[in-house]
Amino acid sequence: MESQSNTRSIEIGQRILSKNDKVAMELRKTYAQDNLFVINLMSSPGSGKTTLLENLAKHKLLEFSVIEGDLQTNRDAARLNTFGVNAHQITTGDACHLEALMVQEALGILRAQGDLKDFIFIENVGNLVCPASYDLGANMNIVLLSTPEGDDKVLKYPTIFLCADAVIISKADLIDVFNFKVAQVKEDLEKLKKEIPIFLISSKDVESQREFCKFLQQNKEKNYVSCHTF
Ligand SMILES: Nc1nc2c(ncn2[C@@H]2O[C@H](COP(=O)(O)OP(=O)(O)OP(=O)(O)O)[C@@H](O)[C@H]2O)c(=O)[nH]1
Ligand SMILES: [Mg+2]
């Protein structure tokens, strides 16, 4: 018979904060103090994150600065600079996500350049998995799902959709081409117990972009802060 141990385990109902979580908490305070509204855009590679930002700038729908994340090259920052957007590129090398410390440094650089707008987009590294594990302290986490990727992704990659405050179905002009079912995405988000706004956006439809900007402005006025854990 096994001897009974005198030890017992106690459940501690508190997450142990990682270094990233601690920096994300600091960032959250900085955003609030400086009246910044920060949006973390996450998606697969090529789903249209940079194109959306280009369009917001081109049509003068919102004034914003950008922190760009890619494994290599400064191509996305250069694309946005062409439209007069102050965009700072982070190249992560092998890392498939941005971390809070990288964002903190980039924010310092944008600030030092003296052109920090009230809205800041963080374009995360294109990946539907890793960014969901790194809190960047953003006011809003927004996931893009483009129509060519298929309408079945919400339940296949639930973690990233669980931390989303809104979902953008991008390349909406191709809905019919790819037989993309918006109802499937809604149903799967409901299965994840998420009632969140869904925007259908196309680079060819300025109104869809305007509606999205209105949503961001309303949430900035409300001082919305994401409550989702990473
Ligand atoms: N038809 C159509 N094509 C689009 C739309 N938005 C973007 N694209 C195209 O999709 C491709 C990828 O767009 P990007 O904006 O570079 O995608 P991204 O998410 O920034 O890509 P990464 O930064 O590499 O993760 C480009 O060829 C765009 O022209 C859209 O609304 N409709
Ligand atoms: Mg991009």
Side-chain angles (χ1 to χ4, degrees), residues 43-51 70 76 79 123 126 171 173-174 202-204:
S43 78
S44 306
S47 60
K49 301 179 290 298
T50 313
T51 305
D70 279 297
D76 281 3
R79 278 168 65 181
E123 182 182 335
K171 309 191 189 181
D173 50 303
L174 301 176
S202 159
S203 58
K204 295 177 173 63

Side-chain angles (χ1 to χ4, degrees), residues 8-26:
R8 67 193 172 101
S9 60
I10 304 168
E11 286 270 326
I12 301 173
Q14 211 175 18
R15 279 175 81 213
I16 297 169
L17 289 180
S18 69
K19 183 165 182 255
N20 187 81
D21 290 334
K22 286 179 193 158
V23 180
M25 276 172 65
E26 286 172 26

Side-chain angles (χ1 to χ4, degrees), residues 42-55 68-70 76 79 123-127 144 146-148 169-174 178 201-205 209:
M42 299 178 284
S43 78
S44 306
S47 60
K49 301 179 290 298
T50 313
T51 305
L52 173 62
L53 299 179
E54 283 176 322
N55 281 320
E68 274 292 345
D70 279 297
D76 281 3
R79 278 168 65 181
E123 182 182 335
N124 218 314
V125 179
N127 186 325
L144 284 82
S146 67
T147 52
I169 296 175
S170 56
K171 309 191 189 181
D173 50 303
L174 301 176
F178 290 98
I201 300 186
S202 159
S203 58
K204 295 177 173 63
D205 177 7
Q209 301 152 21

Side-chain angles (χ1 to χ4, degrees), residues 173-187:
D173 50 303
L174 301 176
I175 278 185
D176 292 340
V177 176
F178 290 98
N179 195 23
F180 186 97
K181 306 263 189 314
V182 175
Q184 182 67 60
V185 174
K186 283 187 183 155
E187 191 185 314

Side-chain angles (χ1 to χ4, degrees), residues 153-221:
K153 296 296 174 287
V154 174
L155 293 184
K156 282 184 167 181
Y157 299 89
T159 318
I160 202 150
F161 288 96
L162 274 169
C163 60
D165 299 279
V167 169
I168 293 176
I169 296 175
S170 56
K171 309 191 189 181
D173 50 303
L174 301 176
I175 278 185
D176 292 340
V177 176
F178 290 98
N179 195 23
F180 186 97
K181 306 263 189 314
V182 175
Q184 182 67 60
V185 174
K186 283 187 183 155
E187 191 185 314
D188 289 351
L189 284 169
E190 275 162 26
K191 282 186 191 147
L192 279 184
K193 298 190 173 55
K194 289 200 65 97
E195 280 187 28
I196 55 168
I198 301 175
F199 293 89
L200 269 70
I201 300 186
S202 159
S203 58
K204 295 177 173 63
D205 177 7
V206 182
E207 268 320 299
S208 67
Q209 301 152 21
R210 197 188 309 279
E211 193 193 334
F212 173 60
C213 288
K214 212 192 287 175
F215 167 75
L216 296 180
Q217 273 155 340
Q218 283 167 348
N219 277 285
K220 183 177 188 313
E221 277 160 29

